[in-house]
Amino acid sequence: MSRTKALIRGLSLCMAWALVAGAMPVGAVTLGNLYETDQPVLNNARDAAFVDALKTVVVRVSGQRDAPARLGGALNDPRKYVQRFGFTVDNVLQVGFDSVSVDRLLQESGLPIWGRERPATLVLLNVIDPSGYSYWISGDQPNAQKDILEKVARERGLPLKWPAVAPQGIDEASALQEAERYGANAALLGRAQGGAVRWTLVSSEGSSQASGGMDEGVHLAADTFARVFAASASSLGNVVVEVSGIGDLDAYASTLNYLEGMTLVRAVALEQVSGDTMRFKLAVRGDAATLRRAIALDSRLVSQDDGAAPMGERLSFRYRP
């Protein structure tokens, strides 16, 4: 490589890094297709394809890998829960299930519901090939390992992000900071060698590890987040949420729309206004701790509770425009 080309390449990398180096607003990804899936039809067995499609959706919505085994006889009539479907020319079932019916099925089966708002996870995957050469997987290059992770992530409903440039000196301590640069809520570090991968998930909840194949990292993250954010479909409670910094109607409308749009929230009522502080009463799935963790995925409401446990069923936030 000539000196001029090397300089141009270096400047390009610097410019690419400048685009992401400033911390992006951290925000959960709202998935609108949790109840939809594509299922190949094998041996022209369309009924079996509907069964497999329902299995995929209940795992994704509940966050529980054993969910299909807990559905009982519901798997005998999966079309009962279908809202729309069609078959492609290459015999793939494209099906959308009715969310209300699926949620009711999960509730009757004693399974939780993991809402549409999900943590964005930055994947930092380092691969060592047989020659000993080490490289990072980036977001702008096609890659077989990346394709595997993306496929499993779609099945689990886990939003992934990839670095624009190769990270430098990343370890568990700096991984979360790296994730924040990309607007992600967590980092999934992987070191792949000889067909095995050592995975470490780092988030505000702490860290956890797993070893196995490429898919094990996605399962580690999805299983971990489901335990934290999924709530019982049958338990409803009331949580008081106080939000300060609401100085005009736009801020009020933004806050109200945000709270009403959360999957955990079933109803919102304005109870009191005092200066720029509004008190809302929320009917929610789960409890105050689960709601606070879900709100923390997004940066528009900033907790004022200083990391302390919720006082009863009351939470305090400040609106961030």
Side-chain angles (χ1 to χ4, degrees):
M1 180 183 296
S2 70
R3 184 175 181 180
T4 300
K5 288 183 178 179
L7 178 60
I8 292 173
R9 182 175 182 273
L11 289 172
S12 298
L13 287 173
C14 289
M15 290 175 67
W17 178 247
L19 292 174
V20 298
M24 298 178 183
V26 176
V29 176
T30 300
L31 301 180
N33 59 350
L34 284 181
Y35 298 83
E36 302 171 7
T37 191
D38 293 350
Q39 183 65 45
V41 179
L42 304 177
N43 302 319
N44 209 33
R46 291 190 168 185
D47 288 341
F50 278 100
V51 172
D52 290 338
L54 181 58
K55 288 179 178 179
T56 296
V57 166
V58 296
V59 169
R60 184 189 296 154
V61 176
S62 70
Q64 311 297 308
R65 280 192 267 179
D66 66 343
R70 298 167 62 180
L71 295 185
L75 289 177
N76 296 328
D77 188 15
R79 296 189 190 222
K80 175 182 177 181
Y81 307 96
V82 170
Q83 187 176 65
R84 61 189 179 277
F85 72 93
F87 294 92
T88 66
V89 293
D90 51 351
N91 215 17
V92 173
L93 168 65
Q94 295 180 325
V95 57
F97 290 92
D98 177 63
S99 61
V100 175
S101 298
V102 171
D103 287 356
R104 186 182 304 116
L105 172 61
L106 295 177
Q107 178 178 343
E108 293 170 350
S109 303
L111 289 159
I113 292 176
W114 184 12
R116 297 183 302 272
E117 307 84 8
R118 304 212 168 179
T121 302
L122 178 69
V123 181
L124 301 169
L125 176 59
N126 182 254
V127 179
I128 303 174
D129 68 17
S131 69
Y133 175 70
S134 173
Y135 61 93
W136 293 88
I137 305 298
S138 62
D140 59 350
Q141 296 176 347
N143 180 274
Q145 293 99 332
K146 179 182 173 186
D147 291 343
I148 293 172
L149 288 168
E150 291 283 3
K151 179 180 182 296
V152 181
R154 285 193 298 271
E155 293 175 353
R156 296 299 307 268
L158 183 71
L160 299 183
K161 293 190 175 188
W162 298 86
V165 295
Q168 300 294 323
I170 290 297
D171 56 19
E172 188 174 325
S174 60
L176 197 54
Q177 183 179 10
E178 187 78 1
E180 290 171 355
R181 289 196 180 104
Y182 286 90
N185 306 97
L188 182 62
L189 289 81
R191 184 176 177 84
Q193 186 174 18
V197 191
R198 296 200 310 272
W199 292 104
T200 300
L201 176 69
V202 185
S203 72
S204 59
E205 300 292 324
S207 66
S208 51
Q209 292 79 33
S211 296
M214 277 292 158
D215 59 342
E216 195 59 40
V218 174
H219 290 313
L220 170 66
D223 292 346
T224 300
F225 294 143
R227 286 193 295 269
V228 173
F229 296 106
S232 171
S234 59
S235 66
L236 278 179
N238 292 316
V239 179
V240 173
V241 173
E242 290 185 350
V243 183
S244 61
I246 302 180
D248 52 36
L249 285 176
D250 287 343
Y252 166 67
S254 176
T255 301
L256 182 62
N257 290 338
Y258 169 64
L259 293 174
E260 288 181 333
M262 297 186 71
T263 307
L264 286 175
V265 177
R266 314 312 295 163
V268 180
L270 178 62
E271 283 196 325
Q272 186 181 72
V273 179
S274 178
D276 71 347
T277 300
M278 294 187 175
R279 179 185 298 169
F280 301 90
K281 185 176 182 180
L282 278 59
V284 302
R285 286 193 183 116
D287 55 18
T290 304
L291 178 64
R292 184 172 69 174
R293 286 192 292 265
I295 292 176
L297 291 175
D298 201 288
S299 57
R300 75 189 76 191
L301 295 183
V302 181
S303 176
Q304 302 296 292
D305 294 324
D306 298 324
M311 297 184 62
E313 295 298 295
R314 183 185 299 269
L315 300 174
S316 176
F317 298 92
R318 183 166 186 82
Y319 173 75
R320 175 184 289 173

